[in-house]
Amino acid sequence: MWFPRGTYEIDEMLVVSNTASLWLHKSAELKAVRKMPYVLRYFGRQQENGGAYGKELVRDHGLYIKGGDFNGNGLASCIQVAGLWHFTMSEMTVRNGKEAGIRLGQLGRPLKDFAACEINIFSIYCRCDMHGLAGNVGVDIQVGDAHVTDVWVVDYTVGIRDSGW
């Protein structure tokens, strides 16, 4: 799915669970304008339906989110990804995430319930320039085999937290 340049005011969390890749123009901003858990939640199909680790994990290798500016605007975390193998996120900005800029996995659930692995993130700029977001995390990794390169985290309380396996 392609998002051309422009500002998209998001008032309800976007959920992708049909294994579509997302490609955003570098000047496409998805900006939260209301409180919600995430601006974007990208879950594998089976994961969204409560599947567990292993055979239910979406194995469509090569899926991705590329580009764009995900702005939680202090109202939402920016992006959550879970339930996938060999997934790539690249060349994007994540700003002002309430709890997290990027969360790989699902906070508070056992590893088997939000399985994902081989998540590659690179060329990501995480920036928090709003007051009142103390305790937030730029990149929160709760999955296995995450590969992180060329990620800049500026002014989040915690830069990168890896509690995966």
Side-chain angles (χ1 to χ4, degrees), residues 74-107:
L75 299 169
S77 292
C78 298
I79 303 172
Q80 178 190 29
V81 172
L84 300 153
W85 273 12
H86 198 76
F87 185 82
T88 300
M89 300 172 66
S90 66
E91 302 173 37
M92 66 179 63
T93 300
V94 292
R95 293 188 293 139
N96 303 316
K98 185 173 182 174
E99 293 178 13
I102 296 172
R103 178 164 287 135
L104 305 178
Q106 188 165 349
L107 190 61

Side-chain angles (χ1 to χ4, degrees), residues 19-21 42 58 60-65 84-89:
T19 64
S21 288
Y42 192 115
V58 173
D60 290 341
H61 295 184
L63 297 172
Y64 62 87
I65 302 171
L84 300 153
W85 273 12
H86 198 76
F87 185 82
T88 300
M89 300 172 66

Side-chain angles (χ1 to χ4, degrees), residues 140-160:
D140 189 10
I141 302 169
Q142 301 176 18
V143 300
D145 297 331
H147 305 275
V148 179
T149 58
D150 298 328
V151 174
W152 297 267
V153 182
V154 179
D155 292 335
Y156 275 83
T157 304
V158 176
I160 297 174

Side-chain angles (χ1 to χ4, degrees), residues 46-74:
Q46 298 300 322
Q47 203 63 36
E48 184 72 10
N49 295 325
Y53 178 74
K55 57 188 170 206
E56 293 90 3
L57 207 58
V58 173
R59 297 173 190 244
D60 290 341
H61 295 184
L63 297 172
Y64 62 87
I65 302 171
K66 179 180 179 180
D69 180 348
F70 295 84
N71 187 353
N73 200 25

Side-chain angles (χ1 to χ4, degrees), residues 27-47:
S27 297
E29 177 188 20
L30 278 65
K31 180 179 181 178
V33 294
R34 211 189 267 186
K35 287 185 179 181
M36 64 190 85
Y38 299 93
V39 173
L40 172 67
R41 175 177 280 162
Y42 192 115
F43 266 26
R45 283 183 298 239
Q46 298 300 322
Q47 203 63 36

